[in-house]
Amino acid sequence: MMKARVFVERRTCHYYQLLTWTIQCEPRSDFSLSQIPLSDDDVAVVVEEAMVRKQCTGLELRDDRLTSKGISFIAEALRCNSTLVRLDLRANDLCDQSIALLMDVLS
């Protein structure tokens, strides 16, 4: 039980760090979160705050260990985002399902 509580505290801290960081960023700017292992929940925060609320123009998520669920959050946000012109997903070892999700949105 104690182990689960420590995990929750760490997750909460990471959530608030991401939230604080995105709040401090200027709207319609580049956001860089490269080389930070992001959970699917973290990606959901980044998508909501950076892509939806701040309408970022660039999003760098290089080497963040993204999963297909995290990519699905990004793909869904891309459907209604008209400001993002650069998305860097290098070194994430994306699976075929992730690539297909992105291709569907971008085609």
Side-chain angles (χ1 to χ4, degrees):
M1 178 123 178
M2 183 64 170
K3 201 174 206 179
R5 197 164 136 211
V6 170
F7 176 76
V8 170
E9 288 171 3
R10 286 184 185 161
R11 294 292 316 128
T12 303
C13 179
H14 202 214
Y15 167 80
Y16 285 113
Q17 286 173 339
L18 284 170
L19 194 58
T20 300
W21 180 82
T22 55
I23 287 170
Q24 293 172 356
C25 290
E26 292 293 319
R28 296 183 183 259
S29 62
D30 286 352
F31 286 63
S32 179
L33 290 168
S34 290
Q35 299 176 339
I36 301 170
L38 297 175
S39 71
D40 293 328
D41 292 337
D42 295 335
V43 174
V45 171
V46 170
V47 164
E48 178 64 27
E49 296 301 322
M51 292 179 72
V52 176
R53 292 186 189 203
K54 296 286 185 148
Q55 293 290 299
C56 66
T57 55
L59 185 57
E60 188 174 300
L61 299 172
R62 187 176 19 137
D63 196 21
D64 285 341
R65 300 182 190 160
L66 300 180
T67 68
S68 57
K69 185 174 181 182
I71 294 296
S72 71
F73 292 140
I74 294 168
E76 190 59 37
L78 283 170
R79 291 186 190 284
C80 55
N81 179 295
S82 60
T83 59
L84 191 72
V85 293
R86 190 177 61 78
L87 177 62
D88 186 349
L89 298 172
R90 287 179 285 165
N92 273 297
D93 198 25
L94 302 179
C95 67
D96 291 344
Q97 179 186 7
S98 297
I99 305 269
L101 285 169
L102 292 169
M103 286 176 52
D104 181 50
V105 168
L106 296 173
S107 60

